[in-house]
Amino acid sequence: MKNFTNIPIDPWYQRLTHTLQFIANAPGFFEKQSQSHGKTYRCNLFGFEYVRSDGPDVAQLLYKNSADSVQTGLGWQPTLGSFFPNGLLLKDGKNHITHRRIMQHGFNKPAMLSYYSAIIAWSESVSQELKDQGEVDFFPFIKERTLDLALTMFLGLDYKAEFGQQIAKAFSDTVAGTLAIVRKPILNNRYHRGVKGRRILVDAFTQLVQQRRVEPKDDLVSFMIAAKDEDGSEFSDQQIVDHLIFTMMAAHDTTASSISSLMFEVTENPHWQRVLQEESDAVTDLSYDTLNQLERTEHIFKETIRLNPPIVTVPRLLSKDIELGGYDIPAGTHTGINIYAIMRDKDYWENSTEFDPDRFARKEDKNHPYQYIPFGGGVHKCIGMHLSVMEAKILLSTIFKSLSVERINPEQKVKIATVPIWHPSSPVYYRFIQR
């Protein structure tokens, strides 16, 4: 086994720009490092040295965490710790298991049925807006609308009301703060605005939790207030607030990213738009129990987030010595999982860069248990995964039952921002037309 110090790394002067390169194009940065140094290398991000190694086997090792040798919370701490402390993703071990069991009540069938009704009404509203507007810069449009839905489903709020708009602004500032280069709240810089946004959210959500304890609704706040695990444990107000702020981030931004990417893919590949329309026409009685009939719609969604994962990489911190990529890696080392590269790995995916939803009908994603990981894996696999898929299927079925879409400037080279969430970094306009 090779020693840790033998792992290749750029000279010190090149490492000074690693964080900027990562923010500009995370997949490109990792690919360049891999081409320069091989499969396993060291790099510097946000003031910390990381050891990176790619492939489904690496993902399995880090996600399974079978010997409690990998910490998720401490891995995310440098970027998320100031803004989303005590969220589910920043917990490990028994603490994580306890909180996840309680939170699961917010994603069981009664809760999902409540969310289903909200998503149906929301999808019809979104579809009508697209029809009325005709031309729309889709990503900011759907980002705003998914936040509207999150306010309704999770908080029971009217997003059009002043309080809902205040929450939306504070939330956007909080998320933006996670990628601040200067990690100090100075002169209203990005980090400072994020800190202030977080403070506004804490105050507002604390009031909301106290209100829901008196007058519960069919929203995530109320479900978490009522939830207990088998030992009778329940959440305090502060714990609910922390989980709500994190869940809002995890839910609406990733859905906006995936639906935006899907619109790009089905305008690039019109055949798949026709598939969406045909399947939406065929399912004449859409309900919670008939969603499984939208099988090809789900395959199109899954292929979209294989090629365009909302989260391209996730960090981890080693709490024990492990072997990684043929090297001895000591405890205390930062590492991570390159989701983007794994889901385009030519050793596991046929024509890996082509948009081919039928690969899921062929079970091509089953060659390795950790080759398809848009929702993560192991004990930290996304708790809202089924909600995300349900939301996407309902929205797509509703839109394509009555509309067709085309990109207004199909020759435009679309630039992508890959962190913190995959999305177009400049306007991309679409035209929605009545079928």
Side-chain angles (χ1 to χ4, degrees), residues 242-262:
D242 287 335
H243 284 307
L244 285 172
I245 294 174
F246 179 78
T247 303
M248 289 280 291
M249 183 274 289
H252 103 276
D253 266 5
T254 54
T255 301
S257 168
S258 58
I259 298 299
S260 174
S261 295
L262 188 143

Side-chain angles (χ1 to χ4, degrees), residues 76-361:
W76 281 107
Q77 187 68 30
T79 52
L80 298 185
S82 298
F83 304 101
F84 301 98
N86 302 312
L88 193 62
L89 195 59
L90 277 79
K91 295 182 180 297
D92 284 290
K94 292 181 179 179
N95 190 27
H96 169 260
I97 292 171
T98 298
H99 279 250
R100 189 178 178 93
R101 283 174 178 167
I102 299 174
M103 276 199 75
Q104 194 64 53
H105 291 267
F107 297 92
N108 60 17
K109 186 169 183 179
M112 293 287 280
L113 287 170
S114 173
Y115 304 150
Y116 174 86
S117 299
I119 295 169
I120 286 288
W122 170 79
S123 296
E124 291 172 352
S125 174
V126 169
S127 182
Q128 186 62 48
E129 279 192 87
L130 291 172
K131 176 183 174 183
D132 293 343
Q133 290 192 25
E135 298 182 3
V136 60
D137 181 9
F138 190 76
F139 177 72
F141 170 87
I142 198 63
K143 179 178 169 66
E144 184 176 331
R145 299 312 180 277
T146 53
L147 181 55
D148 295 344
L149 178 62
L151 289 169
T152 301
M153 283 195 306
F154 298 152
L155 307 180
L157 296 178
D158 180 358
Y159 62 86
K160 295 179 181 178
E162 182 179 352
F163 185 58
Q165 293 299 307
Q166 179 189 23
I167 294 297
K169 172 65 168 61
F171 185 77
S172 295
D173 287 345
T174 303
V175 174
T178 63
L179 278 185
I181 299 296
V182 179
R183 311 295 287 181
K184 298 288 184 182
I186 302 171
L187 299 176
N188 204 39
N189 63 359
R190 177 185 283 191
Y191 190 89
H192 194 187
R193 293 194 298 273
V195 170
K196 290 189 291 185
R198 160 82 189 182
R199 192 178 303 128
I200 291 170
L201 293 178
V202 169
D203 291 344
F205 285 15
T206 299
Q207 294 178 31
L208 190 63
V209 171
Q210 292 169 353
Q211 291 172 9
R212 290 293 183 269
R213 287 195 182 277
V214 178
E215 297 180 5
K217 292 186 177 182
D218 288 334
D219 56 26
L220 182 61
V221 184
S222 302
F223 292 136
M224 286 205 289
I225 288 172
K228 297 180 181 180
D229 69 6
E230 59 269 24
D231 298 323
S233 299
E234 57 186 5
F235 287 146
S236 67
D237 286 5
Q238 184 59 56
Q239 288 171 329
I240 293 173
V241 167
D242 287 335
H243 284 307
L244 285 172
I245 294 174
F246 179 78
T247 303
M248 289 280 291
M249 183 274 289
H252 103 276
D253 266 5
T254 54
T255 301
S257 168
S258 58
I259 298 299
S260 174
S261 295
L262 188 143
M263 290 302 170
F264 177 84
E265 295 293 355
V266 299
T267 51
E268 282 284 285
N269 305 277
H271 162 70
W272 295 106
Q273 181 175 170
R274 291 192 291 274
V275 170
L276 288 169
Q277 291 170 336
E278 291 166 3
E279 190 162 74
S280 66
D281 291 342
V283 181
T284 56
D285 185 24
L286 186 64
S287 68
Y288 181 81
D289 293 324
T290 61
L291 277 173
N292 60 351
Q293 296 178 22
L294 295 172
E295 183 176 23
R296 301 197 78 190
T297 298
E298 182 170 339
H299 290 169
I300 293 168
F301 176 70
K302 291 175 73 173
E303 177 69 347
T304 296
I305 58 178
R306 181 189 71 85
L307 283 174
N308 315 279
I311 307 293
V312 299
T313 182
V314 294
R316 293 292 188 266
L317 182 77
L318 302 181
S319 52
K320 293 182 181 179
D321 298 350
I322 69 166
E323 182 273 326
L324 185 66
Y327 294 91
D328 285 322
I329 312 298
T333 301
H334 288 267
T335 184
I337 300 162
N338 191 340
I339 294 172
Y340 176 92
I342 289 170
M343 295 200 297
R344 290 174 176 237
D345 191 325
K346 291 182 288 188
D347 291 339
Y348 295 90
W349 302 97
E350 182 180 349
N351 300 318
S352 63
T353 61
E354 291 185 10
F355 186 76
D356 179 14
D358 281 343
R359 67 176 78 245
F360 291 94

Side-chain angles (χ1 to χ4, degrees), residues 13-82:
Y13 54 88
Q14 292 181 2
R15 299 200 295 271
L16 294 176
T17 64
H18 280 186
T19 298
L20 293 175
Q21 292 178 52
F22 172 82
I23 291 174
N25 180 0
F29 169 73
F30 289 133
E31 182 178 4
K32 182 181 177 182
Q33 289 291 305
S34 182
Q35 289 173 350
S36 298
H37 301 303
K39 187 175 181 179
T40 304
Y41 53 87
R42 288 181 285 165
C43 59
N44 279 48
L45 298 173
F46 299 100
F48 295 90
E49 184 175 278
Y50 283 75
V51 172
R52 304 286 306 209
S53 188
D54 293 340
D57 289 340
V58 172
Q60 185 166 11
L61 172 67
L62 297 179
Y63 273 136
K64 286 188 71 174
N65 195 16
S66 57
D68 293 326
S69 57
V70 183
Q71 294 290 310
T72 298
L74 292 176
W76 281 107
Q77 187 68 30
T79 52
L80 298 185
S82 298

